[in-house]
Amino acid sequence: MGAIRRSVQRNGWPTKAVEDVTIIHGGTPENGFISYRYQGYDESLLMHVLGFGSSTFPLPPECYRAWQKTFDWRAQYGVEYLRAGPLFIHHLSHCWLDFRGISDGFMKAKGLDYFENSRRAVRVQQSYAQENPHKFRGYGPHCWGLSASDGPGPATKTIENVDRDFWMYRARGVPGEPDDGTLAPGAVAASLPFAPQLVTDTLRDLVRAYPNLRSEYGLRASLNPTFGDWISPLNYGLDQGPIVMMIREPTDGSLVEPHAALPYIWRGLRHAGFAGGWLESNANRTATPPSRDDGASGARHSASCPSA
């Protein structure tokens, strides 16, 4: 908890990082800021909450509104949801925060919360695999899960008279995102809170069909049945962390509940416009957002966020 507090208090939001309202991915002192920005629904939901919760360098509220203007609300396979192609995006912020029953303005207008949105994203992933528009081997109701992962490429193979390109590490997703037949079993496992029975059945079938997915370090990063039943030789810590956090969450909630009690988390959610659920019922919180001063030393500095 102390590490989170120190990080929130120390990290500032320089003007350049938010000058076009949405946040830049990063940069270096030598080369300056890179061109990529957080646009479209992505893993930066948690980052925005932490930014708003800072008592020293709070993120300007305009950045959240501008980020949400880039959202892509869709209806696919009979499911309406906030789209993000790679499955990991629908996990990452949930590893630390419980979004069940709380909604910001965007989600409130849609009548759901981000947890329900992730449930719907899992359904879309399964439906996509069942449709299997590119006719990859193995895809089906218990063989799905496109996400950022290792891959068998770079390579091109002619398979059943079709020339197919295969990639190395890439952010695969559905639908409309890169898809070369590579699936990420870790992304399936981390979906457990959103679809417990489906995830359990899928993992059981995957391990039964591809026993080498298991290793002493957990599930391998990926598999590609089309590429000769290829299985990645790698294990990514970035995959294993969300698996551990998300498979534990359905049992006792012990990972996200302590974070919800932190003043900067609660404050960040409030300033992002979240309301409802445990935010209202938390007896340790007041009815209005607490002061920006939660005991941090030093003067409060606010980052500016000029309009584009």
Side-chain angles (χ1 to χ4, degrees):
M1 298 301 175
I4 296 176
R5 175 181 57 79
R6 290 189 295 272
S7 177
V8 170
Q9 291 173 352
R10 182 176 63 249
N11 292 336
W13 305 94
T15 299
K16 176 62 179 177
V18 295
E19 70 170 356
D20 289 326
V21 186
T22 53
I23 302 172
I24 291 175
H25 276 203
T28 65
E30 297 80 13
N31 300 313
F33 290 99
I34 62 179
S35 60
Y36 297 106
R37 295 180 174 274
Y38 287 100
Q39 295 180 332
Y41 179 56
D42 53 34
E43 66 274 24
S44 70
L45 175 59
L46 172 65
M47 182 178 66
H48 280 85
V49 171
L50 292 174
F52 291 137
S54 173
S55 60
T56 50
F57 300 95
L59 187 67
E62 303 95 294
C63 297
Y64 196 68
R65 294 191 293 269
W67 176 57
Q68 291 188 317
K69 288 180 180 179
T70 67
F71 283 3
D72 182 9
W73 181 263
R74 291 193 185 186
Q76 294 174 317
Y77 303 108
V79 176
E80 291 189 0
Y81 76 123
L82 177 55
R83 178 189 173 278
L87 190 51
F88 84 91
I89 289 175
H90 297 283
H91 303 149
L92 203 58
S93 295
H94 297 265
C95 290
W96 287 272
L97 297 178
D98 185 0
F99 289 97
R100 288 170 290 192
I102 65 173
S103 300
D104 58 15
F106 181 92
M107 279 300 179
K108 183 178 180 180
K110 302 297 183 182
L112 64 155
D113 55 41
Y114 286 99
F115 187 90
E116 171 61 24
N117 191 74
S118 292
R119 290 183 64 246
R120 297 184 182 191
V122 169
R123 289 168 54 194
V124 169
Q125 285 260 346
Q126 184 196 31
S127 296
Y128 175 86
Q130 289 178 278
E131 181 192 19
N132 193 10
H134 302 295
K135 309 305 177 187
F136 289 115
R137 294 174 183 170
Y139 280 29
H142 290 162
C143 193
W144 51 274
L146 277 76
S147 192
S149 64
D150 187 26
T156 299
K157 274 190 173 186
T158 301
I159 301 173
E160 297 175 353
N161 298 318
V162 177
D163 292 335
R164 296 190 181 274
D165 294 324
F166 299 91
W167 311 300
M168 295 178 64
Y169 189 93
R170 192 153 183 175
R172 299 165 175 87
V174 304
E177 296 285 335
D179 179 11
D180 64 350
T182 301
L183 301 172
V188 173
S191 299
L192 187 68
F194 310 120
Q197 191 60 55
L198 172 61
V199 168
T200 301
D201 293 343
T202 298
L203 290 176
R204 183 180 293 117
D205 284 3
L206 283 175
V207 171
R208 183 183 296 121
Y210 307 99
N212 289 334
L213 280 175
R214 294 185 294 186
S215 76
E216 61 179 317
Y217 301 111
L219 292 170
R220 295 296 188 185
S222 50
L223 74 151
N224 191 312
T226 305
F227 198 88
D229 287 343
W230 175 88
I231 294 176
S232 172
L234 304 177
N235 295 86
Y236 289 138
L238 189 60
D239 294 339
Q240 302 303 320
I243 292 173
V244 172
M245 298 176 79
M246 297 299 270
I247 65 175
R248 174 133 181 218
E249 176 53 26
T251 61
D252 59 10
S254 60
L255 288 170
V256 300
E257 286 180 1
H259 296 161
L262 297 173
Y264 25 89
I265 294 294
W266 189 84
R267 180 172 57 236
L269 288 167
R270 283 299 204 185
H271 282 280
F274 281 89
W278 58 265
L279 277 173
E280 311 302 331
S281 60
N282 192 333
N284 295 322
R285 303 273 79 87
T286 59
T288 57
S291 166
R292 290 277 186 186
D293 182 9
D294 60 358
S297 60
R300 170 178 172 253
H301 302 279
S302 178
S304 59
C305 187
S307 300

